[in-house]
Amino acid sequence: GNGVTRENGLLLNWRRETRNFGELEAEGALLNVSSDAGRSEQPSTGTLLTLRQHDFAITNDLLMQNSIGIDRTWFDPVLASSYRFKLPSTLLVGANTQLSSDAGDFRFSAGRLGRLDSGQVQTFETTEGSIVSAGFSKNPTDRLHTGIQLVHVEGAQNVVDHASAAGVVEYRDAPGGRRYQGHFLADSEGAAGLWFDGEVLSGRWRNRFGAYRLGPGLLWTDAAMANDQQGFYSRMDMQTLRYQQAGGLEYNIRDIEDDPLRSGTRSITAFVTGNRQLGRLTSVGGAFNLRDSTSTDNAVSGGDSRTIRLTVHGSHKLAVGTARLQLLLADIENGPNHGSGSGIT
């Protein structure tokens, strides 16, 4: 047969609040894997250990957070996240620290790159390369947030050695239901990106909109970063106890500099969905989806496609379960091929 693989693991988590050193935390894992499928193979082992210190008050105005061991790089949450794009953190074995005061927050990370092994008990394995990161964020006013982050990666397997700089400016008006973010990212290889996100609450409706341009080959840490595209989007949604509605539109261009070695596309994506609760047991709804993609390469023929889908559904709760009826209509065009379909489920 294929043999039997045995995986034995131990997870550890310890916390203690102290009077003078904040809250201390230790998190660890031990793993042993053995298999009788290959008699010559030796059992493998893995470990994971992280020590953290939370809310260590150096002075009355200066607070520190620390971690040593296996962790993710620490970034300003506002800088690292937006509605359309993210700046992902990366795994490392090393150290993180954050100093917080009325002047702002300073973050620093340094260590060896690595990855988590798959399995019921995850352990850490170092890979080639190292990372150093430093950042600063501040709230100049109650409604304004600014942040900048510098990252240097060297010796990684999947990216060239590079440095990257990211920044964000956010304006938030909670009473008025408005939030606007502007992001920039540039690397030492000459690539750059800009994106803007807005969010406005109007009655029951939440409106999200934005525009972006990300240069080809844009780099950020050793993680995969969206690049070589530009466009804009708009999305609206609302929800009450009886009904939900949502709609959106996005226009996107890939291969923004017409690289002859890349295949470029120009696409439009739109959708409208809705659902209404007719009663305690019955609901109806539907959705309309459109995706139209056009090749921007003159040398590529037959690369255009268009898909239109319309669904209508209803459901009713019974004593033995839920009965659902759905009607689907579709029109699909892919290059010279064109077809349509329908179905009931």
Side-chain angles (χ1 to χ4, degrees):
N2 295 327
V4 177
T5 299
R6 297 177 178 85
E7 182 177 300
N8 301 305
L10 175 66
L11 297 176
L12 169 69
N13 188 276
W14 173 84
R15 284 175 176 264
R16 180 179 179 180
E17 293 185 2
T18 66
R19 182 184 298 272
N20 299 317
F21 300 100
E23 182 180 356
L24 304 179
E25 177 188 7
E27 186 177 59
L30 296 174
L31 176 66
N32 178 270
V33 179
S34 61
S35 174
D36 58 10
R39 298 294 181 179
S40 61
E41 294 183 3
Q42 296 296 322
S44 61
T45 60
T47 59
L48 185 151
L49 179 63
T50 306
L51 304 177
R52 298 186 179 95
Q53 182 183 37
H54 306 281
D55 299 332
F56 172 42
I58 300 176
T59 67
N60 291 335
D61 302 320
L62 186 61
L63 201 64
M64 175 180 275
Q65 325 284 337
N66 295 296
S67 80
I68 298 177
I70 299 162
D71 206 343
R72 288 190 170 274
T73 47
W74 290 1
F75 300 142
D76 173 20
V78 177
L79 179 142
S81 64
S82 66
Y83 182 74
R84 187 61 176 81
F85 297 105
K86 311 291 183 184
L87 294 179
S89 61
T90 190
L91 283 166
L92 59 78
V93 53
N96 290 293
T97 189
Q98 175 178 323
L99 294 170
S100 302
S101 68
D102 292 339
D105 297 329
F106 171 78
R107 298 173 179 85
F108 178 81
S109 303
R112 287 284 306 276
L113 298 171
R115 62 172 178 262
L116 291 176
D117 293 331
S118 60
Q120 296 298 319
V121 178
Q122 288 189 320
T123 57
F124 184 83
E125 178 184 359
T126 59
T127 59
E128 294 182 5
S130 60
I131 184 170
V132 178
S133 174
F136 181 77
S137 60
K138 180 179 176 60
N139 295 327
T141 68
D142 292 339
R143 297 185 176 183
L144 192 63
H145 178 91
T146 60
I148 188 170
Q149 191 80 31
L150 305 177
V151 171
H152 178 77
V153 175
E154 184 175 347
Q157 294 176 328
N158 56 330
V159 295
V160 299
D161 295 353
H162 68 278
S164 300
V168 64
V169 176
E170 179 187 72
Y171 175 81
R172 182 190 295 267
D173 177 14
R178 297 177 297 166
R179 185 178 65 170
Y180 307 104
Q181 284 186 350
H183 291 257
F184 81 84
L185 174 62
D187 63 46
S188 57
E189 299 300 300
L194 294 168
W195 62 100
F196 167 80
D197 296 284
E199 180 179 337
V200 176
L201 298 179
S202 178
R204 295 177 176 176
W205 285 93
R206 181 188 302 271
N207 308 297
R208 297 184 175 96
F209 51 89
Y212 52 91
R213 180 182 172 87
L214 306 177
L218 190 59
L219 297 171
W220 174 254
T221 67
D222 67 328
M225 178 66 197
N227 67 91
D228 200 10
Q229 58 181 289
Q230 64 182 3
F232 62 86
Y233 72 90
S234 176
R235 288 176 174 83
M236 303 175 62
D237 62 82
M238 63 92 68
Q239 181 174 347
T240 68
L241 293 176
R242 295 187 64 87
Y243 56 89
Q244 302 88 38
Q245 294 177 332
L249 172 69
E250 180 164 0
Y251 178 75
N252 178 275
I253 298 176
R254 296 182 180 271
D255 185 24
I256 60 179
E257 295 184 356
D258 296 326
D259 188 337
L261 301 179
R262 295 174 178 263
S263 58
T265 58
R266 182 184 297 111
S267 63
I268 298 175
T269 305
F271 74 94
V272 177
T273 65
N275 189 79
R276 181 172 180 82
Q277 195 75 26
L278 300 179
R280 186 171 60 89
L281 303 176
T282 306
S283 65
V284 295
F288 171 82
N289 294 272
L290 165 67
R291 178 173 175 80
D292 186 277
S293 179
T294 304
S295 174
T296 58
D297 298 324
N298 295 328
V300 178
S301 60
D304 301 345
S305 65
R306 184 185 63 187
T307 303
I308 301 174
R309 283 189 173 91
L310 175 65
T311 59
V312 179
H313 60 84
S315 63
H316 183 78
K317 292 183 179 180
L318 305 172
V320 294
T322 300
R324 178 184 173 92
L325 178 66
Q326 177 173 292
L327 171 65
L328 168 66
L329 300 174
D331 184 89
I332 302 174
E333 183 177 345
N334 189 0
N337 302 316
H338 180 260
S340 60
S342 62
I344 298 178
T345 56

